[in-house]
Amino acid sequence: MNQTPPPARINGLACKNSALVQASDFSFSGLHIPGNTSNQVGSRVTPVSMAQLPGLNTLRISMLQIDFAPWGINLPHTHPRATEILTVLKGSLEVGFVTSNPQNRLITQVLKKRDVFVFPIGLVHFQRNVGAIAGLRNQNPGVITIANAVFGSNPTIAGEVLSKAFQLIKNIVDQLQTKF
C-alpha cells in the first residue's frame, strides 16, 4: 500500500505544500482593532507570529502590537529566543531593561512618537503607558513573564527558596503565589 508521508515540520508547524500556498499565508489583518486593556495590568499584546501568520515560519521575524490604558504596563518579561525592537506610534512610553549579572543595571528611557528602542535577547524588560508596535527577531520568540514564572510555577517553587531570593518573609511569598 502506497501511503503519503506526513508533511515535514519546521519549528513545530507542518510545512504547507508549496502548490497550496496562498497570499493569506503571508498577510494578517487585525492590528487595526484596539486591544482590550481593561485588565489588571492595563495592556493587551496582539501577537503576529507563526500561529497568526504561517508565512513567517523559518523567516526569523515576528511582531506584536501592545495597546496600553493610561499608566498600563507590559509586565517585566524576557524573550529567550529573540531581540526586540519597539516603535512608539503615539504618545509616550517608558521602557527599560536590566543588564545581566553581576551589574543588573537598569537601562531606561521615555520614548515619544516615532522613537525606537531595542531590547537585547534574553534580558528582562518592560514598558509603561501609551501604545507601540514591536518587532522580534524570531518567528517564535517565546515570552517568559517573570512574576508568573516565579510565583505561578507548577508545582510551586518552595516558599523558603523565594523568600531568600526576594528577601521577603514567607507569608508574603505565600500570598503572592496565590495570585498566580
Side-chain angles (χ1 to χ4, degrees):
M1 189 179 220
N2 193 3
Q3 292 183 345
T4 305
R9 296 181 78 78
I10 299 178
N11 296 314
L13 296 178
C15 294
K16 195 170 191 176
N17 180 327
S18 62
L20 302 176
V21 170
Q22 302 174 36
S24 62
D25 294 318
F26 297 89
S27 68
F28 173 81
S29 294
L31 295 183
H32 65 287
I33 302 167
N36 181 354
T37 60
S38 61
N39 54 52
Q40 187 177 10
V41 295
S43 69
R44 173 68 63 202
V45 175
T46 304
V48 184
S49 60
M50 294 184 314
Q52 295 78 27
L53 189 57
L56 288 175
N57 198 5
T58 74
L59 297 182
R60 299 187 59 152
I61 60 169
S62 61
M63 68 178 296
L64 51 90
Q65 176 172 296
I66 312 168
D67 292 292
F68 292 92
W71 297 104
I73 61 171
N74 189 9
L75 297 172
H77 64 282
T78 182
H79 302 287
R81 296 183 293 276
T83 293
E84 178 178 341
I85 187 167
L86 176 141
T87 302
V88 177
L89 298 180
K90 63 182 179 179
S92 61
L93 188 69
E94 178 187 7
V95 299
F97 66 86
V98 179
T99 64
S100 58
N101 292 339
Q103 293 83 15
N104 295 319
R105 209 172 105 209
L106 175 63
I107 306 293
T108 187
Q109 184 173 356
V110 175
L111 306 176
K112 296 187 178 7
K113 183 178 181 177
R114 306 246 186 256
D115 287 349
V116 176
F117 197 84
V118 174
F119 302 99
I121 188 171
L123 295 184
V124 174
H125 60 281
F126 67 93
Q127 300 93 27
R128 180 170 60 158
N129 213 353
V130 188
I133 293 255
L136 298 143
R137 190 187 166 265
N138 191 301
Q139 68 274 2
N140 184 17
V143 64
I144 300 168
T145 305
I146 306 306
N148 294 11
V150 172
F151 295 106
S153 68
N154 185 11
T156 58
I157 298 172
E160 294 78 16
V161 171
L162 296 179
S163 179
K164 285 184 181 181
F166 291 96
Q167 299 180 19
L168 297 170
I169 59 173
K170 189 173 175 308
N171 290 347
I172 299 294
V173 170
D174 294 341
Q175 287 177 351
L176 288 169
Q177 287 179 316
T178 65
K179 295 179 184 284
F180 293 92

